[in-house]
């Protein structure tokens, strides 16, 4: 999964810098200046991508109206965090499938916390089976609570 996380974090900056380079390669005669600008831009975009806080699903369970998602933040695979919430408090569940440029499926959950405030969390997974099971179980829970 580390290889996919690296691709997720740094593919965007690489593509942006390549496009910028392609559009400016014929406009300039100063190759050193263009190279320095590209390196500075790549460094800044990579730093932003690296510092972006993404939550990668390790496993999940949905039992007795309790959603439990175990996840890791960015590259910290030894440190595991948990998201636990009652499935009745789920307000909105959105899914986005992976693509050529995005190696992860994204599951966004909007829920109401204990204080009555709304919060949103987005989780990523690169496992198709986990994504499909999570879609099925969350939609099943959501429709069960909407019909009550």
């Amino acid at each position: 999964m580390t290889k996919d996380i690296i691709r997720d974090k740094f593919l965007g900056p690489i593509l942006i810098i390549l496009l910028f380079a392609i559009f400016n390669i014929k406009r300039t005669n100063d190759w050193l200046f263009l190279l320095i600008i590209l390196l500075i831009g790549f460094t800044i975009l990579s730093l932003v991508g690296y510092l972006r806080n993404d939550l990668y699903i390790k496993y999940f369970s949905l039992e007795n109206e309790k959603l439990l998602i175990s996840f890791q933040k960015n590259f910290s695979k030894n440190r595991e965090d948990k998201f636990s919430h009652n499935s009745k408090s789920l307000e909105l569940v959105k899914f986005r499938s992976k693509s050529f440029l995005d190696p992860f499926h994204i599951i966004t959950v909007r829920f109401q916390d204990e204080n009555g405030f709304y919060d949103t969390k987005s989780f990523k997974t690169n496992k198709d089976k986990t994504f499909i099971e999570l879609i099925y179980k969350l939609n099943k829970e959501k429709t069960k609570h909407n019909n009550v």
Side-chain angles (χ1 to χ4, degrees), residues 17 38-48:
I17 292 301
L38 292 175
L39 286 175
I40 290 171
F42 178 71
T43 303
I44 291 170
L45 289 174
S46 295
L47 187 63
V48 168

Side-chain angles (χ1 to χ4, degrees), residues 102-147:
D102 192 6
F104 285 92
H105 300 288
I106 299 174
I107 299 104
T108 303
V109 179
R110 183 175 182 221
F111 59 95
Q112 193 171 13
D113 65 7
E114 306 86 32
N115 299 325
F117 296 113
Y118 290 102
D119 196 6
T120 304
K121 288 210 182 269
S122 292
F123 300 97
K124 294 183 174 187
T125 182
N126 61 346
K127 297 179 179 114
D128 294 336
K129 182 179 177 186
T130 302
F131 181 67
I132 291 169
E133 285 179 19
L134 195 54
I135 288 174
Y136 174 73
K137 288 184 177 183
L138 285 174
N139 279 335
K140 186 176 172 183
E141 279 294 312
K142 190 99 172 81
T143 56
K144 181 172 84 172
H145 293 299
N146 286 342
N147 291 334

Side-chain angles (χ1 to χ4, degrees), residues 14-26:
I14 290 171
L15 291 177
I16 290 170
I17 292 301
L18 281 176
L19 284 173
F20 185 75
I22 289 171
F23 288 126
N24 288 308
I25 213 156
K26 289 189 177 185

